[in-house]
Amino acid sequence: MKRRWLWLLCTTIVTAFPLRPAAAAAISTEVPLPGGTVALARALDVDPVPDRGRFIFEITRLVYGVPEGSRLQADAFLTAVREASRRGRDGAPDRRPADVVPVPLSAELWSSAIFRRKVALEDLVVAIVADRSAALLCHGLASLDDETLAYFADHPALLTRIYEHSAPLFAAFSDGLQVRDDRIVLPGGEDAQPLWEALLLEKTTRPDRFVQQLFELNDGRLAFLYDVIAQLDPARRAFALGVWMPDATIRVERFKELAHGFDSLREWHVRTQPFGRVSHDPAMMFWRVAVGSDGAPLEPSSRALWQHAFHGDDPLGDLAATDSEPFDAAWLMSTIESAEVRVRAARLDQLGFGTRVFSEMGRSASQNNDVLTAIRGVARYRMLMLTLERIGIRTPALYAAAARRADQLAAFEGRQGFELQAQFQGALALIAGMVRVRTIDSVRAGALIAQLVALPLEQGRFGGSIATFVREDLVSGTAPADSLELRVLRAISGPASAEPSNRPIIWEGQSYRLDLGAAELRRLQRVRDKQDGVPLDVAVELTGISRALANRNLSSDELTVLISRLGRALEDVPQRSRHDEEVDLASGFGVAASEHDALQKIIDELGRAERARDLKRAARLSEPLGELADQVLAHVLLSIAYAMEIGDPDSTVLLAGDVSRRHDFGFNQKSRELRMRAAWAVPRQDVSPGMPWRVSGSLLALDVGLAPLSLRRVNFERVLEAPKITSNEREAFALSVSLINPFALRDADLDTIADAIATGRRRLQALSRDGHDLDPIADQLRLQGWRRRALRWTLANEPERASSLLSLTELLSLGGARLGELNAWGMAGVTLDGCLCSRLTPLGAWPILLGRPQLGLVAVGVADLHLQVAMILKELHLPSALAKVVLSAAVQDYIDEVSPTDAADWLTMVRTAWMVSPERVEDYMAAATAVGPLMLATDTIQ
């Protein structure tokens, strides 16, 4: 009886645990690496050497994240290792000093399930790195949490299957996998279960089969979908899963349709480039969509509206359909991601713009023709729409009116079109500049823009109406004793500071005061002097004289006075040299006529009319004089717009004089559609063979096109090597400096930033060595699986280095700061969010930023230099408004010095930013005292 009872007990135990081995398999192993991490990294041509806690994760990514043949030294080393492995080990064991690095799973499991041969513990790292599939499997395993890794350790057959069939896909998309108690834990919880089980035809209670289906069906595209959803914030995840839809059956159908959209993804090269991502893929689509807390899309969300916005031919449009059914993830996928890359980018810009600007309108936004016109306008008049957003306009009718005016201007070509665009865009650029420096607010700006877009356009000319607008409306209320140009320059220079203060600033024994406006006015005046152009007053004067000549009651005495006025105006119109005329080619239609010669000719003709007492003949000259006035005004507004953004008055760009005359609105484009878009495209510097340097695109947001000119080099002592970061990343860093608005920075921000980062570091230092209390912090920061694993290992083995695994933005949030309230200190949002704005990238964004070097997105996540400068300004008791001056030099040095392992090595970029010291900031401050905005307490400016 006793024996039978023992037999039954044993049988029960075996039945209860049929899949468990006698002892739980190890989920991680401390592996000695002979020669250390430095030796292996050098052999693989990796520099800098990754931290030990993330060594295996980074090495496998760096070696196999690029096509074979891209790293010649690494390929040669690995070939030698593989050849030695085929011959078998021989000779004495490697007894060089070893570093210990963590590797997922045990050496025994790697030997039995993967390599099918015995691999010694000290050989394990090199053996993994030398085998592509093993390395990619290891990379994916390093992304898993402990419980999930334990499941894989207990299922060696699943490891073998992944190794043989889907290692690249597992490396790319394993991060979102979670297994608990032999059950897949889905992103989205129970709401997601029927969706995934219907899609994969496998239960979540069979994780091995579920994982196999996930990574093998449709060549891994379903794994991509799974990973994208796992990385989303809860609200967007609910949108993607359709949780906001009340009908469960429809949710399943639409989720299948969403997955079907992933089946047809273009540029799918994950097996050969597992860590690369295509531009504007579904992950970026979900990033742009705006949703409520329940996952429902924010307005405007009508499919009818967006269908018209994406596909309509009429640039203005009419929302005839009344269908208000909201779009869902599947509809967006089929509408946006099915297009080629440029169309995808344009539609994502439209999607982000529509919800950023009009979401507060609620349901009425989806039924508003003006909203439709504005959204369509992003594709055709991009900088016009984005500039109105930047100014703070939220009235759909004003966007629509501006779009209609842009459409009218598109009908004119050649020099006539050039002058119309320059006048309209130049006046709008002045308004935007006045808002930026807080001379006017967005309400006043909206009223001015409404006046500007309503100005009459007769026979293809503004006929002096913009000159009158500038004189009577734009700078109304300013000191009338000043010249008109000085009044305009003061208006776009702004006040002394956004935070008026009489507190003196003591620097190097001198007493200074902060005066942003005075420094900017001084800079603008120097640039205008170097441009050697016509003063704004002359252009307006010519307009007034032209109208006076047209007066039917003009007398001979009045004509004499007008001729005299023209003579005085002529003195301020410089004669252009032949060299000036030869470089005036980039506008697309050849050399411009000399304004001086044209005005002199009109004066001569008027003189003859005066002597003949032929007032009718004089009156007929009002038309050519009016045309000349418009031409002069166009060039003056171009020049002032450039002066606002050209940066250093000693810039080499100004050696060629007034480079604004070369501006290219795209009139050399062949089709009207291309010309229309080019005139409002993102401005960019352009150098073509046989053509001088110029800027192509819109005159608006020139700070984007001229961003590199916002940087200045102060260190000329060393020989510079080629920058180690991509050109797109360099441009992103420069653009981030250009978009910083000193008037948006607050001294209180310095305290907030410094205190929060210090608190974040203390919280990290207070974590236990075993890391059992890490998860709440990791959840708050939305850390990926590999980062949690690396941080936990570092806490246990190198606790003093733990904070170096986080960015300052993450420490800032960990210390309790609200990132959204400190966006003025952030990076350029142009590429990621589509706005002309600065943003501190939200937590959890790294999966979106990585793998897209063609967009330079990694730089968008590295706001550490900005935050480091903020902390140093606090330490030195300097005002926050000096940050832009300091960063203009600091970022140039940073670009010259930073040396990441590759375009995805954001951590090296972060750590390089921390190297900026108070001493270096003191060097950068020289410009602030030399040319402003720190002015000697006794200094004045006229």
Side-chain angles (χ1 to χ4, degrees), residues 853-869:
Q854 68 274 25
L855 298 178
L857 285 180
V858 171
V860 174
V862 183
D864 292 67
L865 190 55
H866 294 198
L867 298 175
Q868 179 78 358
V869 165

Side-chain angles (χ1 to χ4, degrees), residues 877-901:
H877 306 289
L878 293 171
S880 60
L882 296 177
K884 183 166 186 174
V885 176
V886 171
L887 283 167
S888 67
V891 168
Q892 182 62 68
D893 276 356
Y894 176 86
I895 289 173
D896 293 340
E897 295 169 0
V898 67
S899 183
T901 55

Side-chain angles (χ1 to χ4, degrees), residues 428-579:
L428 190 52
L430 294 180
I431 296 172
M434 291 166 66
V435 173
R436 182 170 56 187
V437 300
R438 308 298 198 262
T439 299
I440 59 175
D441 59 19
S442 59
V443 175
R444 173 60 180 155
L448 288 171
I449 294 168
Q451 289 178 262
L452 177 63
V453 300
L455 292 178
L457 186 62
E458 298 177 359
Q459 298 180 341
R461 286 182 49 209
F462 281 113
S465 60
I466 286 188
T468 303
F469 168 79
V470 172
R471 185 187 69 238
E472 297 181 358
D473 300 302
L474 188 65
V475 290
S476 61
T478 58
D482 293 333
S483 69
L484 179 60
E485 174 154 328
L486 182 56
R487 291 162 64 190
V488 168
L489 295 185
R490 288 187 186 280
I492 59 177
S493 296
S497 171
E499 298 180 311
S501 173
N502 295 321
R503 178 176 68 88
I505 301 166
I506 306 301
W507 184 254
E508 296 182 338
Q510 296 272 19
S511 180
Y512 293 90
R513 58 184 172 84
L514 176 67
D515 198 330
L516 296 170
E520 177 62 6
L521 178 58
R522 178 177 291 172
R523 188 195 67 81
L524 283 169
Q525 289 175 320
R526 288 187 61 199
V527 173
R528 290 289 289 142
D529 287 343
K530 290 204 170 186
Q531 287 176 328
D532 193 26
V534 181
L536 178 61
D537 299 73
V538 170
V540 175
E541 172 76 343
L542 295 180
T543 297
I545 296 174
S546 169
R547 290 178 174 175
L549 283 174
N551 186 353
R552 294 181 179 179
N553 299 319
L554 181 69
S555 67
S556 298
D557 292 340
E558 290 172 332
L559 176 59
T560 301
V561 172
L562 293 179
I563 294 173
S564 177
R565 287 168 61 185
L566 284 175
R568 291 193 296 272
L570 181 65
E571 296 174 0
D572 288 324
V573 180
Q575 289 185 314
R576 303 189 70 204
S577 67
R578 184 61 186 167
H579 171 72

Side-chain angles (χ1 to χ4, degrees), residues 1-2 44 53 101 160 353 364 390 403 455 477 482 539 556 561 601 610 615 687 705 785 832 920:
M1 185 72 178
K2 184 176 181 181
L44 295 169
V101 297
T160 304
F353 168 84
S364 62
R390 188 183 193 181
L455 292 178
D482 293 333
S556 298
V561 172
K601 182 178 179 181
E610 179 190 26
L615 296 180
V687 179
L832 182 61
R920 293 184 75 173

Side-chain angles (χ1 to χ4, degrees), residues 49-216:
V49 180
D51 308 279
R52 289 195 294 151
R54 62 188 182 101
F55 186 81
I56 195 68
F57 181 89
E58 282 293 284
I59 284 292
T60 52
R61 180 186 68 81
L62 291 166
V63 172
Y64 295 108
V66 296
E68 189 174 357
S70 300
R71 288 180 176 268
L72 298 180
Q73 181 176 325
D75 291 344
F77 172 77
L78 294 176
T79 298
V81 170
R82 293 165 191 149
E83 182 62 28
S85 176
R86 282 193 292 269
R87 291 198 307 266
R89 292 187 62 200
D90 53 5
D94 192 339
R95 300 188 183 280
R96 291 178 300 168
D99 283 337
V100 174
V101 297
V103 173
L105 307 180
S106 66
E108 292 77 12
L109 191 53
W110 280 101
S111 298
S112 60
I114 308 303
F115 298 118
R116 304 298 178 92
R117 59 182 173 83
K118 178 66 176 176
V119 178
L121 186 63
E122 62 271 19
D123 296 332
L124 183 58
V125 171
V126 174
I128 290 173
V129 174
D131 184 320
R132 183 176 190 271
S133 293
L136 294 174
L137 172 64
C138 182
H139 185 94
L141 292 171
S143 298
L144 303 176
D145 59 41
D146 287 352
E147 292 87 344
T148 306
L149 195 55
Y151 177 86
F152 279 87
D154 288 344
H155 293 77
L158 179 57
L159 291 171
T160 304
R161 178 80 186 190
I162 294 173
Y163 169 75
E164 293 176 347
H165 295 275
S166 53
L169 298 156
F170 189 74
F173 306 127
S174 69
D175 189 66
L177 280 179
Q178 284 192 335
V179 181
R180 300 287 186 275
D181 299 324
D182 287 334
R183 185 186 188 96
I184 294 288
V185 179
L186 296 169
E190 294 182 1
D191 291 324
Q193 182 175 341
L195 308 179
W196 283 106
E197 290 186 347
L199 190 61
L200 297 178
L201 302 178
E202 189 55 69
K203 296 290 186 182
T204 56
T205 52
R206 296 182 59 184
D208 54 340
R209 292 291 302 162
F210 187 96
V211 169
Q212 182 179 322
Q213 292 284 86
L214 183 65
F215 286 99
E216 294 183 17

Side-chain angles (χ1 to χ4, degrees), residues 415 418-419 422 531-534 573-577 580-596 628 631-640 642 656-665 692-695 699:
R415 193 165 299 281
F418 181 92
E419 292 169 5
Q531 287 176 328
D532 193 26
V534 181
V573 180
Q575 289 185 314
R576 303 189 70 204
S577 67
D580 293 332
E581 295 177 352
E582 287 174 350
V583 299
D584 189 17
L585 299 171
S587 54
F589 37 79
V591 177
S594 168
E595 291 99 343
H596 185 281
L628 178 61
Q631 176 186 335
V632 172
L633 179 64
H635 286 299
V636 171
L637 292 179
L638 270 170
S639 298
I640 295 177
Y642 269 71
D658 190 359
V659 293
S660 70
R661 299 181 70 93
R662 306 175 184 173
H663 191 88
D664 181 6
F665 284 117
W693 176 95
R694 65 196 185 280
V695 174
L699 192 60

